[in-house]
Amino acid sequence: MNITLFLEMAADAAPDRVGLVCDGKRWTYAELLSAARGAFELIEASDCDHVALLDESSEAAVIALFGAALAGVPYCPLNYRLPDTDLAALLGRIAPALVVGDEERVTRLADDRGHTIYAREDFTIAVQEASPTAEEREYDAEGGIAIQLFTSGTTAAPKAAILRHSNLLSYILGTVEFGSADEDDAALVSVPPYHIAGISALLSSIYSMRRIVMLPAFSPEAWLTLAEAEKVTNAFVVPTMLSRIIETLDKGMNADLSGLRAIAYGGGKMPLELIHRALDLFPETGFTNAYGLTETSSTVALLGPDEHREAHTSSDPKVRARLGSVGKPLPTVELEIRDEEGRPLPSGQPGEIYVRGEQVSGEYKERSVLDAQGWFPTRDAGYLDEDGYLFLSGRADDVIVRGGENISPGEIEDVLLGHPALADAAAVAVPSIEWGEAVGIAVVPREGHDAPSPEELRELIRARLRSSRVPDKVLVVKELPYNEMGKLLRREVKTLLST
Amino acid sequence: MKPGTKLKSAVCSTEVMVIRSAGGQIECGGAPMAETKPAEAGALSPEHSNGTLMGKRYVDADNKYELLCVKPGKGSLSVDGVPLSVKDAKPLPASD
């Protein structure tokens, strides 16, 4: 099995149909396939172990993804927002790689690692020149590993999550009907290429033959302009993007979105106010909430358009509450809630979410975390209601998810504990309309010291970490709540911060 | 037959990818399918001539076999003479 099959089928069924638009350039399915075959030649000649992308979204993401698949080499898109030290470590772990994108950074950070580096434009030209004239080149049909994605690495070094061709094939065949899109359909892809949603969007769009309209870097203005210009019919956004799009419309920007039939969202918690607002603002649009993880090849549960409308207008509190759920598991996925001992829990009881299915990899380069029966512990907490709707209640291990970015409380607490006037500190998620979740901190001043001002603490975190780690809320307390085992009771800290 | 194996029809242009299979004989248009095409195309059996459709998945009643049509043709698919049918998949809303 090999995911290149998707592109081959699209190119077979409609070679001259436009499959992708990026920066005004249009690529047909036949051109994309030919470019991917050219990429295979470059990959083979470079003798690399991985194909990496260090760049914003562009046609190069599609070409590199399928070129790597043809060559039987894992495709490994990297987060270009990572600081130099973190990126250098990852570039070391995938060496030798064929890297497409930021030539300057790769050269500066990993010059001695044997990487083959192409700037985006050079790669796009080279793959077209390298494309074989004879169709009868032997391509890898076995598959093996298709994708290697580094997790955010909140507590330890980032883990390399692995998706096999068989996982992705099961996911796409189970959720998408081949060639089901109309010729005018277009999907606006604005999630970064190193996010699982950015990869599954490419695969789903190509298999359904829905034209991909790529937005290399998200801004609400650019999103609205492109959606109108390309008469976009489908889009996937993270909640933060939707919030900023609506804000921009509120400020008076005009955009004709009458063709926008479907908006799917996921990647973080959707504030209830925001989804109600969006449903009012786009009455003709179908909304789908998708829940999934990198390790599950994207979506494992979804709340569909009809369920959104029903919940939005219902007077039954139970039905209304479903807007805060992530819907029901896919028919091809099994899902259970389990307690800390791994025993299945009945509906209504919160616990850890476990999933099983052919699309679920649950595998890292170092080891698989599937249990003996093939179940994957997601480390997400949640419960199922009596009708089977899944409600999430955060990460099992308290990671703060701000606008789709995972933030470990530990890294913030470590910085705070370095302050001479602080004796103790806790960072937890606080609700945020803009980001879904944001950082809140509770700090305990040292005896004989005055508490530092909130501004001073924000500045400290901004300087030491990143702006996304800067707390929205700062609370000074006499002591933090601990249980008898000395474990910090984060839930109680959250309660303190929300009152 | 290994999942991922591509089989070609001996009587028409049909090609399938094996998703799942057991020990039986996979046929198209009444003739066994193989990884390579015969030099000369065989005759299409009228009993197995309903055709295959691109991108459709074909299954048997016991769900032991599943074939994805990657090139359509005039023959229809069967295992040991028993016709396969199109897998009935509920359409899901696009989620990514």
Side-chain angles (χ1 to χ4, degrees):
Chain A
M1 296 202 179
N2 192 306
I3 56 168
T4 315
L5 181 73
F6 306 146
L7 184 55
E8 288 166 349
M9 286 171 72
D12 231 15
D16 299 328
R17 188 156 147 183
V18 174
L20 180 131
V21 184
C22 183
D23 289 331
K25 180 155 168 46
R26 307 176 101 73
W27 295 74
T28 65
Y29 289 113
E31 287 169 338
L32 287 172
L33 179 59
S34 163
R37 287 175 172 162
F40 165 63
E41 302 294 327
L42 302 189
I43 292 161
E44 202 181 54
S46 79
D47 213 16
C48 59
D49 290 345
H50 295 86
V51 174
L53 183 81
L54 183 66
D55 199 6
E56 293 171 345
S57 284
S58 76
E59 65 275 0
V62 176
I63 297 166
L65 165 67
F66 289 109
L70 285 170
V73 174
Y75 170 65
C76 182
L78 299 170
N79 182 350
Y80 50 81
R81 294 195 174 98
L82 287 176
D84 279 354
T85 44
D86 297 355
L87 184 62
L90 298 188
L91 284 167
R93 284 169 68 180
I94 60 169
L98 184 146
V99 190
V100 181
D102 195 336
E103 217 176 356
E104 182 277 320
R105 258 185 118 192
V106 183
T107 312
R108 183 161 50 79
L109 296 174
D111 197 25
D112 54 347
R113 298 299 192 133
H115 295 307
T116 305
I117 314 163
Y118 285 92
R120 184 204 298 177
E121 295 71 21
D122 299 340
F123 177 71
T124 313
I125 293 166
V127 294
Q128 294 179 76
E129 286 169 353
S131 192
T133 42
E135 291 277 295
E136 298 310 308
R137 191 82 158 86
E138 272 303 307
Y139 296 114
D140 179 76
E142 285 293 315
I145 297 169
I147 311 257
Q148 180 179 314
L149 275 182
F150 287 106
T151 60
S152 337
T154 46
T155 44
K159 283 185 286 186
I162 276 167
L163 293 172
R164 294 180 179 274
H165 286 271
S166 55
N167 300 132
L168 294 164
L169 246 118
S170 298
Y171 173 62
I172 294 299
L173 295 183
T175 57
V176 183
E177 184 74 14
F178 175 73
S180 53
D182 289 335
E183 188 146 5
D184 291 335
D185 284 6
L188 183 44
V189 176
S190 52
V191 272
Y194 55 82
H195 195 285
I196 181 61
I199 294 170
S200 58
L202 304 181
L203 299 178
S204 296
S205 299
I206 285 172
Y207 197 62
S208 63
M209 293 179 72
R210 186 177 291 122
R211 185 169 75 251
I212 296 166
V213 176
M214 241 171 198
L215 178 58
F218 176 82
S219 78
E221 294 81 11
W223 192 94
L224 287 163
T225 306
L226 196 54
E228 178 178 304
E230 288 289 337
K231 298 190 176 59
V232 160
T233 55
N234 295 64
F236 178 90
V237 290
V238 298
T240 310
M241 290 176 183
L242 188 60
S243 162
R244 293 179 62 196
I245 289 162
I246 291 177
E247 210 173 88
T248 305
L249 290 170
D250 285 346
K251 278 188 201 149
M253 179 166 170
N254 277 317
D256 177 10
L257 299 179
S258 54
L260 190 58
R261 285 199 314 264
I263 295 180
Y265 62 90
K269 193 174 168 56
M270 173 65 85
L272 270 180
E273 274 170 71
L274 181 58
I275 188 62
H276 277 297
R277 182 77 214 290
L279 285 159
D280 284 333
L281 205 58
F282 302 105
E284 304 299 326
T285 304
F287 283 83
T288 298
N289 184 2
Y291 164 64
L293 296 93
T294 302
E295 295 92 329
T296 62
S297 307
S298 196
T299 310
V300 288
L302 58 82
L303 187 76
D306 296 342
E307 293 163 311
H308 271 81
R309 291 291 162 194
E310 198 189 345
H312 181 50
T313 51
S314 176
S315 52
D316 179 347
K318 202 180 77 182
V319 176
R320 248 182 118 68
R322 285 179 195 157
L323 216 43
S325 80
V326 293
K328 292 182 175 181
L330 300 182
T332 44
V333 167
E334 294 174 89
L335 189 146
E336 282 183 2
I337 307 295
R338 299 193 185 174
D339 68 11
E340 282 171 15
E341 317 293 322
R343 288 171 302 215
L345 290 165
S347 63
Q349 298 243 20
E352 184 176 348
I353 300 165
Y354 278 63
V355 291
R356 180 165 73 173
E358 288 175 12
Q359 72 179 70
V360 177
S361 99
E363 188 181 3
Y364 303 97
K365 194 162 189 189
E366 298 75 20
R367 68 198 174 100
S368 167
V369 297
L370 296 184
D371 72 10
Q373 286 73 43
W375 289 91
F376 171 57
T378 62
R379 302 301 296 143
D380 276 341
Y383 67 93
L384 288 162
D385 76 3
E386 58 198 43
D387 300 309
Y389 287 87
L390 176 65
F391 289 77
L392 305 181
S393 41
R395 293 288 285 173
D397 37 12
D398 292 308
V399 167
I400 302 160
V401 185
R402 181 180 183 271
E405 187 178 4
N406 288 357
I407 301 174
S408 159
E411 58 175 309
I412 298 167
E413 289 160 9
D414 286 350
V415 170
L416 292 170
L417 291 172
H419 192 291
L422 292 181
D424 205 353
V428 294
V430 293
S432 158
I433 295 211
E434 192 182 358
W435 300 101
E437 286 181 350
V439 177
I441 59 169
V443 295
V444 181
R446 246 175 233 291
E447 271 198 52
H449 286 79
D450 286 330
S453 73
E455 247 348 281
E456 187 192 334
L457 295 175
R458 288 192 174 105
E459 199 40 57
L460 173 71
I461 291 166
R462 187 177 331 210
R464 294 285 303 279
L465 300 167
R466 266 179 276 170
S467 57
S468 57
R469 271 64 174 168
V470 173
D472 274 19
K473 278 193 151 186
V474 178
L475 185 71
V476 178
V477 292
K478 280 203 182 106
E479 58 178 2
L480 291 173
Y482 286 92
N483 72 6
E484 70 286 1
M485 300 298 283
K487 205 175 160 197
L488 179 66
L489 300 169
R490 293 185 181 274
R491 208 172 307 154
E492 291 189 17
V493 179
K494 280 190 190 183
T495 313
L496 287 174
L497 276 158
S498 59
T499 49
Chain B
M1 201 72 67
K2 258 179 81 174
T5 306
K6 282 193 187 153
L7 297 175
K8 293 175 177 163
S9 172
V11 302
C12 71
S13 55
T14 298
E15 285 182 32
V16 299
M17 189 190 76
V18 175
I19 297 174
R20 198 167 35 249
S21 80
Q25 180 68 253
I26 298 172
E27 305 133 343
C28 174
M33 299 184 82
E35 290 183 54
T36 50
K37 256 182 141 42
E40 239 174 85
L44 173 67
S45 153
E47 284 163 53
H48 299 281
S49 60
N50 290 331
T52 50
L53 294 170
M54 180 78 160
K56 293 288 177 201
R57 286 178 289 163
Y58 293 85
V59 289
D60 66 320
D62 299 332
N63 220 19
K64 279 188 191 149
Y65 296 85
E66 183 168 342
L67 309 173
L68 172 70
C69 173
V70 298
K71 273 197 177 52
K74 286 184 179 153
S76 43
L77 301 168
S78 56
V79 172
D80 296 331
V82 182
L84 301 183
S85 55
V86 173
K87 184 168 181 169
D88 184 26
K90 253 191 272 168
L92 290 168
S95 66
D96 45 29

